[in-house]
């Protein structure tokens, strides 16, 4: 697979079929110098723009229109858009909730790309709305350029939505100011099962106010309600400003559908009239595919696969996992043979193959669930990989053991695991000398989040893979609001000269809580 390409664990394809080209439409000259103002009777892009899955030469641009429109993207080396190149996108309409994605390719590597999205009347290309502008950096093809990215997850959870009294989702402005090359969102982009009330009384008597919408007033069941849940977050000014500057790599987790869901599950939840999670997840995945610019392995009626590899130059490959669509049912996790596990056999096979093929200095495994933290599902079942038995691998741990053994025996260096999900921040180091299972090389797992959701207490560690926890910060009670408990994001810097990787766990406001420096190619750190 070519260096710098975006990929699933196999053949490349787009989330949506879109036409891209370099021939310019007959469009009027438009400027992004001033804030966009709606033009009466013309398409408007009030939801902003996004770019996703950026590589050394490509990226995907997203927009939403308020009516049917032809999407056109123009790119240039400067914000004056002199010598701009035009890309013909799709005609977008109600079949995709008026969202559209245009693929850019053949971009210069390691450069700042300025772009603007024009929405034109499908019947008269000269009738356009005001352009909406953004910028992003392509990945470098040389090793000398430094790299920075952030990760986190969990947005609008437990009823804590956009609070205008706090300035909305402030953490996005903290991250934007640090100017990362991209943002890895590790799942729970929406809480489809958590309605957003108008107000919540905090324990000290203060009132938390939320921006609310009709779709977020109940749990999401219909396609329209799932679309509305994804659209809700884009009401926040901080997030739209962030999206216009920072490209994303996005994965999903349980709350895109329902807490702790798995394929084939029938919900025992009186709030739902549709209780089949296979139906609900298909609707959610379609909305997910419409509201995020991502590359997938193969489009299908459910929107394509979420797991993929995003190659970000010679320093970094990001392996995006999907621990939802291929897992078996949550259980006590004591199986002695579990080929399906949490990834499914095919995803695991492709992950092993692509890790072996990777030539990047660092291989970040973006896991939407933690490895050694014991995440319960009710009284007897478990939600993640670990199940609290510190002995030999059982249940879903068998897949992790197989993967870790492969990494060791294939001499794959530079693997780092990043995750969120548990609504606090921590660092775990795994080593065979402390473990019941010993056939692996030491590695680190870092946890960060939530972005804007309730904070929860720390979970226990499972000893199967020998974790220690040199750092943890978590609240002492369940569902502490963002007004009471800090929100968290993680930051990774890779030095272009030495290849050294530094992880910093930060909280809202930017304060560094913990940092760890890792050396390239070194085993046992």
């Amino acid at each position: 697979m070519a260096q710098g390409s975006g990929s699933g664990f196999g053949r490349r394809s787009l989330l949506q079929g879109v036409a891209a080209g370099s021939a310019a439409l007959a469009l009027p000259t438009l400027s992004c110098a001033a804030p966009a103002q709606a033009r009466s009777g013309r398409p408007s892009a009030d939801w902003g723009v996004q770019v996703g899955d950026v590589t050394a030469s490509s990226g995907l641009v997203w927009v939403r229109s308020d009516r049917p429109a032809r999407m056109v993207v123009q790119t240039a080396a400067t914000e004056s858009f002199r010598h701009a190149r035009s890309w013909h996108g799709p005609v977008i309409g109600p079949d995709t909730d008026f969202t559209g994605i245009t693929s850019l390719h053949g971009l210069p590597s390691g450069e700042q790309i300025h772009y603007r999205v024009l929405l034109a009347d499908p019947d008269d290309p000269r009738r356009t709305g005001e352009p909406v502008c953004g910028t992003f950096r392509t990945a470098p093809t040389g090793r000398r350029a430094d790299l920075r990215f952030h990760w986190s997850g969990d947005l609008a959870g437990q009823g804590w939505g956009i609070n205008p009294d706090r300035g909305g989702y402030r953490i996005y402005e903290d991250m934007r100011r640090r100017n990362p090359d991209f943002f890895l969102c590790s799942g729970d982009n929406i809480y489809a099962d958590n309605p957003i009330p108008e107000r919540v009384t905090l324990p000290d008597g203060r009132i938390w106010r939320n921006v609310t919408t009709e779709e977020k007033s109940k749990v999401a069941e219909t396609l329209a309600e799932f679309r509305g849940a994804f659209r809700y977050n884009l009401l926040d000014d901080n997030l739209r400003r962030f999206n216009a500057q920072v490209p994303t790599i996005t994965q999903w987790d349980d709350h895109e559908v329902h807490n702790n869901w798995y394929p084939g599950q029938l919900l025992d939840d009186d709030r739902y009239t549709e209780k089949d999670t296979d139906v609900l997840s298909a609707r959610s995945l379609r909305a997910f595919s419409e509201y995020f610019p991502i590359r997938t392995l193969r489009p299908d009626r459910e929107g394509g696969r979420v797991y993929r590899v995003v190659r970000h130059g010679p320093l970094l490959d990001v392996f995006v996992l999907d621990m939802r669509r291929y897992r078996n049912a949550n259980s006590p996790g004591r199986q002695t043979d579990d080929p399906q596990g949490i990834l499914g056999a095919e995803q695991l096979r492709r992950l092993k193959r692509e890790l072996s093929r990777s030539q990047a200095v660092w291989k970040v495994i973006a896991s939407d669930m933690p490895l050694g933290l014991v995440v319960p599902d009710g009284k007897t079942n478990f939600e993640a990989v670990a199940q609290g038995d510190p002995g030999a691998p059982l249940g879903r741990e068998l897949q992790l053991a197989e993967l870790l053994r492969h990494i060791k025996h294939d001499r794959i260096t530079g693997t780092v695991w990043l995750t969120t999900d548990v609504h606090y921040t921590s660092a775990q180091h795994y080593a065979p000398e402390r473990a019941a299972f010993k056939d692996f090389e030491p590695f680190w797992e870092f946890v960060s989040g939530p972005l804007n959701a309730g904070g929860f207490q720390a979970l226990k560690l499972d000893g199967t893979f020998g974790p220690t926890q040199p750092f943890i910060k978590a609240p002492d009670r369940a569902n502490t609001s963002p007004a009471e408990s800090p929100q968290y994001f993680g930051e990774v810097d890779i030095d272009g000269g030495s290849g050294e990787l530094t992880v910093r766990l930060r909280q809202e406001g930017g304060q560094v809580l913990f940092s760890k420096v890792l050396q390239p190619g070194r085993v046992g750190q």
Side-chain angles (χ1 to χ4, degrees), residues 129-459:
E130 290 291 339
V132 182
C133 297
T135 185
F136 63 94
R137 286 188 296 277
T138 52
T141 53
R143 280 193 52 174
R144 302 300 297 181
D146 297 342
L147 175 64
R148 168 176 290 172
F149 70 93
H150 293 153
W151 91 93
S152 189
D154 308 309
L155 188 59
Q158 291 73 50
W160 310 112
I162 302 169
N163 184 339
D165 300 332
R166 297 185 78 242
Y169 298 154
R170 301 187 309 199
I171 196 167
Y172 282 99
E173 183 63 11
D174 293 334
M175 293 190 293
R176 187 191 69 82
R177 288 175 176 172
R178 297 197 57 76
N179 197 27
D181 290 275
F182 66 88
F183 173 61
L184 168 62
C185 190
S186 302
D188 290 343
N189 299 270
I190 62 168
Y191 278 71
D193 55 334
N194 287 188
I196 300 291
E198 290 186 4
R199 50 198 288 134
V200 181
T201 302
L202 301 178
D204 62 4
R206 288 179 295 163
I207 300 298
W208 175 284
R209 291 196 308 129
N210 283 313
V211 172
T212 60
T213 66
E214 180 180 353
E215 293 92 346
K216 283 300 294 177
S217 67
K218 65 178 292 292
V219 297
E221 299 179 81
T222 68
L223 177 59
E225 289 165 350
F226 281 109
R227 285 167 166 171
F230 283 102
R231 196 164 55 244
Y232 173 82
N233 290 325
L234 296 175
L235 294 171
D236 182 71
D237 293 339
N238 300 301
L239 179 53
R240 292 197 310 276
R241 187 164 50 245
F242 179 84
N243 284 343
Q245 179 177 323
V246 181
T248 58
I249 298 176
T250 307
Q251 63 190 137
W252 77 337
D253 194 30
D254 57 333
H255 286 286
E256 275 78 7
V257 179
H258 186 278
N259 185 45
N260 296 355
W261 77 275
Y262 50 82
Q265 181 185 26
L266 297 178
L267 298 179
D268 181 17
D269 189 331
D270 292 339
R271 300 175 300 169
Y272 286 79
T273 57
E274 177 55 74
K275 297 181 183 293
D276 187 341
T277 58
D278 289 350
V279 173
L280 295 172
S281 65
R283 291 170 181 169
S284 177
L285 191 58
R286 177 172 172 180
F288 180 91
S289 76
E290 293 167 345
Y291 274 85
F292 292 110
I294 69 171
R295 296 188 190 276
T296 54
L297 179 68
R298 184 185 64 199
D300 58 30
R301 67 177 183 86
E302 296 179 339
R305 292 178 180 169
V306 176
Y307 69 78
R308 62 204 188 275
V309 186
V310 181
R311 306 198 185 277
H312 208 82
L315 287 174
L316 177 67
D317 284 346
V318 181
F319 297 82
V320 182
L321 304 186
D322 181 351
M323 291 177 156
R324 281 293 146 195
R325 291 180 70 197
Y326 311 102
R327 64 165 56 201
N328 52 19
N330 292 350
S331 73
R334 299 305 198 266
Q335 303 95 320
T336 57
D337 182 31
D338 191 5
Q340 185 173 353
I342 199 166
L343 297 175
E346 179 64 10
Q347 183 178 185
L348 177 60
R349 183 185 71 81
R350 291 177 183 271
L351 175 59
K352 289 161 60 178
R353 183 187 70 190
E354 294 302 325
L355 281 167
S356 295
R357 289 179 174 180
S358 174
Q359 298 299 309
V361 175
W362 295 100
K363 295 94 175 167
V364 163
I365 303 176
S367 173
D368 45 297
M369 298 220 70
L371 304 180
L373 301 180
V374 181
V375 185
D377 180 17
K379 294 182 179 180
T380 61
N381 295 336
F382 295 92
E383 160 72 349
V385 176
Q387 36 34 358
D389 184 335
L394 295 171
R396 292 169 179 164
E397 292 174 335
L398 293 165
Q399 277 199 333
L400 178 58
E402 181 181 346
L403 177 60
L404 295 178
R405 183 187 297 114
H406 172 80
I407 290 171
K408 175 184 176 180
H409 288 266
D410 220 33
R411 299 181 179 179
I412 299 167
T413 60
T415 59
V416 178
W417 292 73
L418 301 181
T419 188
T420 178
D421 183 70
V422 292
H423 296 227
Y424 60 80
T425 185
S426 67
Q428 287 83 238
H429 182 255
Y430 298 80
E433 62 268 20
R434 300 187 296 262
F437 174 78
K438 298 182 179 299
D439 196 8
F440 71 99
E441 298 290 359
F443 67 95
W444 282 89
E445 173 189 40
F446 300 96
V447 180
S448 189
L451 288 162
N452 195 95
F456 285 82
Q457 303 104 312
L459 298 168

Side-chain angles (χ1 to χ4, degrees), residues 64-94:
R64 184 175 191 266
S65 178
D66 65 343
R67 67 194 69 196
R70 164 72 72 178
M71 179 182 180
V72 178
V73 180
Q74 293 182 332
T75 63
T78 65
E79 59 187 350
S80 68
F81 285 91
R82 188 177 182 184
H83 306 303
R85 183 180 181 186
S86 293
W87 308 80
H88 299 181
V91 173
I92 54 183

